[in-house]
Amino acid sequence: MSFFYEREETADTVTITLKPHSLYLMLGMLAVWLGNDLILKSAPMAQIVMPIFIVFMVIRFFALMRIQREVLIAMKQGRVETQGSKFSFRSPFRYVLRKAQESATS
């Protein structure tokens, strides 16, 4: 899903860039929900905001699960480098996975 991450593949590396937009959207929805719950105390608004927030979190979780599985496997093999920050738009968080070297047999 291009909303949550970008994946670029070259001959020897795979670069996965996590976009911060979804994280900020999730934090914004959480702030709206908390503001409603603590200040406005509006039950009808909470009935709209909470299901949207939960659905968004589930979609984000499953969209990033495949990427995280790939990164964990590469981490166990020592083929991962990280760059950037989760919260930065200018330098977003990036995994650089080196592809496994296939041994040539004669």
Side-chain angles (χ1 to χ4, degrees):
M1 299 198 108
S2 64
F3 182 74
F4 299 111
Y5 65 88
E6 281 182 10
R7 179 188 174 99
E8 297 173 12
E9 196 163 338
T10 64
D12 57 344
T13 63
V14 176
T15 303
I16 301 167
T17 305
L18 300 180
K19 295 184 178 180
H21 304 90
S22 64
L23 179 64
Y24 282 116
L25 182 59
M26 194 168 60
L27 291 174
M29 285 192 282
L30 182 62
V32 167
W33 174 69
L34 285 173
N36 175 60
D37 195 42
L38 299 174
I39 298 168
L40 299 176
K41 301 187 190 303
S42 170
M45 187 173 168
Q47 291 174 347
I48 294 170
V49 172
M50 268 317 281
I52 292 172
F53 180 58
I54 291 170
V55 167
F56 181 79
M57 284 186 357
V58 168
I59 291 171
R60 184 176 188 269
F61 173 78
F62 284 110
L64 295 177
M65 190 168 67
R66 191 180 115 240
I67 295 299
Q68 292 300 326
R69 188 176 308 136
E70 182 179 0
V71 168
L72 285 174
I73 290 169
M75 277 184 181
K76 287 179 183 177
Q77 298 171 352
R79 300 183 291 117
V80 178
E81 295 177 20
T82 59
Q83 303 168 350
S85 170
K86 226 185 238 191
F87 302 102
S88 174
F89 285 103
R90 235 184 282 171
S91 175
F93 192 76
R94 185 172 288 133
Y95 294 109
V96 180
L97 313 174
R98 291 183 313 277
K99 291 187 179 178
Q101 300 295 326
E102 295 181 23
S103 60
T105 57
S106 299

